Amino acid sequence: MVFVHLKETLKKHLTRGGHLEKMKERRVRSKLEEKTMSRDKRVGAVLGAVSYYLLKKGRPQEDYTTLVNLLSRAGVDVGDINHSFKFVAKFAPAAAEVVKGRVSTYFQTALVQTGRRPPVKILADKATWKHRTRMVSGLVTVMPDTPVLLQTFFLASKSCPGGTGDAMTESLVGVMEGLVDRSQYLGISADGATLHCNVGRKLGEHFQKRVHDDYDPLHKAGLVHVHMVKDKQYQFVNNVTENISAVYRMFNMGQEFAHFFEVAKELAVTSGNDLEFKMPRFF
């Protein structure tokens, strides 16, 4: 008998206008919440993409507000918050974690083309700045599914107390741990200081693999330039550098700077090319 009365009472409650109105309000609120969450994700993706672009290209964080403003003017929904350039710094750690995860996954996964993990050449550079020695480490590998087959990764710039061969080797091993195994290791490409400290040999011992180590091309080119400018037959290189420096010192600021552009416009040295566009690149 009690159960029958309960059913009748429940039926009356469910069919009353107040209950139906509340259910309608709940459905509307639920749809609004779903719509808001969807918009938040969409806006977050836009602002995150702008931040990642600045970080990847090494652009100033102050460009963030300008780019967000341009997107807004173009009709893109950029939301109502996180429009300060400080958002880029807040976004960076999250982006770094995602990138590190993807890099780690790539190097631990066998390539479809070979059935083996990607081969790796370790890049190393010993750098001392303000009496502190750091080990700049990276690597170069192949990525068959990208337009550029050889890809370079910068991994870390860790403090290297003492700057000895053992310390540099330990730094590199710590960075490569979990990324590179013996089957992937193809040697090291480094500056002279790193090679003279026998880091290549020590890494070979760590990976238990003897491979070819080579001199980093950019460092080699730097040495060639140092010797080249001392040779009389390449004196023109010094002359060009000195002339550009003289122009820079004369016209980089003040009234002479403004007068330089006035004369350039009078002489019509630019036709179709905006002189001001080139100004920041040279001056």
Side-chain angles (χ1 to χ4, degrees):
M1 196 66 183
V2 175
F3 181 70
V4 174
H5 290 319
L6 177 62
K7 290 175 60 178
E8 292 178 353
T9 303
L10 184 59
K11 183 178 180 180
K12 289 180 181 180
H13 174 75
L14 294 175
T15 56
R16 282 177 182 172
H19 175 77
L20 295 176
E21 187 65 25
K22 289 292 184 181
M23 291 299 296
K24 183 179 179 180
E25 291 178 1
R26 185 173 180 179
R27 285 193 294 269
V28 172
R29 187 165 58 250
S30 178
K31 290 182 179 180
L32 181 61
E33 289 176 354
E34 290 179 2
K35 186 176 181 180
T36 302
M37 289 179 62
S38 177
R39 178 176 181 258
D40 288 346
K41 289 182 179 179
R42 189 166 58 251
V43 170
V46 172
L47 299 181
V50 174
S51 300
Y52 182 68
Y53 163 76
L54 296 176
L55 294 169
K56 184 176 181 181
K57 296 297 183 180
R59 299 291 304 164
Q61 295 182 8
E62 287 75 8
D63 287 1
Y64 177 78
T65 53
T66 302
L67 294 175
V68 171
N69 184 43
L70 288 174
L71 289 173
S72 179
R73 288 176 175 271
V76 179
D77 186 3
V78 294
D80 307 307
I81 59 174
N82 294 327
H83 294 168
S84 168
F85 72 91
K86 296 180 180 179
F87 176 73
V88 181
K90 294 179 180 179
F91 177 81
E97 287 300 318
V98 173
V99 172
K100 285 170 61 178
R102 292 184 177 181
V103 170
S104 178
T105 299
Y106 177 77
F107 285 106
Q108 294 175 4
T109 304
L111 295 174
V112 176
Q113 292 81 356
T114 63
R116 298 183 179 183
R117 289 186 177 188
V120 168
K121 188 83 169 184
I122 293 178
L123 307 177
D125 183 12
K126 176 187 176 184
T128 302
W129 185 67
K130 289 188 175 181
H131 307 292
R132 292 189 64 184
T133 301
R134 308 188 72 86
M135 197 65 203
V136 181
S137 55
L139 50 83
V140 60
T141 187
V142 294
M143 299 188 74
D145 296 328
T146 61
V148 181
L149 180 62
L150 294 178
Q151 297 279 351
T152 304
F153 291 81
F154 166 77
L155 298 178
S157 177
K158 298 179 63 176
S159 178
C160 186
T164 63
D166 290 336
M168 288 188 283
T169 303
E170 182 180 352
S171 176
L172 289 172
V173 170
V175 173
M176 301 300 164
E177 187 175 1
L179 285 180
V180 182
D181 63 16
R182 183 178 182 276
S183 66
Q184 296 170 276
Y185 180 62
L186 294 181
I188 183 174
S189 180
D191 63 317
T194 303
L195 294 177
H196 291 160
C197 290
N198 294 319
V199 174
R201 179 178 60 79
K202 295 176 184 295
L203 280 176
E205 293 174 354
H206 170 77
F207 287 104
Q208 298 180 348
K209 189 176 184 181
R210 184 57 187 164
V211 290
H212 175 69
D213 301 321
D214 54 70
Y215 212 116
D216 175 62
L218 288 179
H219 285 87
K220 194 70 174 178
L223 290 177
V224 171
H225 178 264
V226 169
H227 294 297
M228 183 184 72
V229 295
K230 295 178 180 179
D231 194 323
K232 291 183 179 181
Q233 64 176 321
Y234 297 111
Q235 183 60 37
F236 73 93
V237 176
N238 292 330
N239 295 338
V240 171
T241 303
E242 291 174 1
N243 290 338
I244 293 176
S245 299
V247 172
Y248 175 82
R249 288 192 297 269
M250 184 177 297
F251 299 111
N252 68 336
M253 61 180 66
Q255 295 181 354
E256 294 293 337
F257 176 78
H259 179 64
F260 172 78
F261 283 97
E262 290 176 2
V263 173
K265 288 181 179 179
E266 291 177 2
L267 295 176
V269 296
T270 172
S271 57
N273 295 325
D274 189 0
L275 193 61
E276 282 76 8
F277 177 76
K278 297 179 181 179
M279 179 181 66
R281 297 189 177 188
F282 183 79
F283 294 92

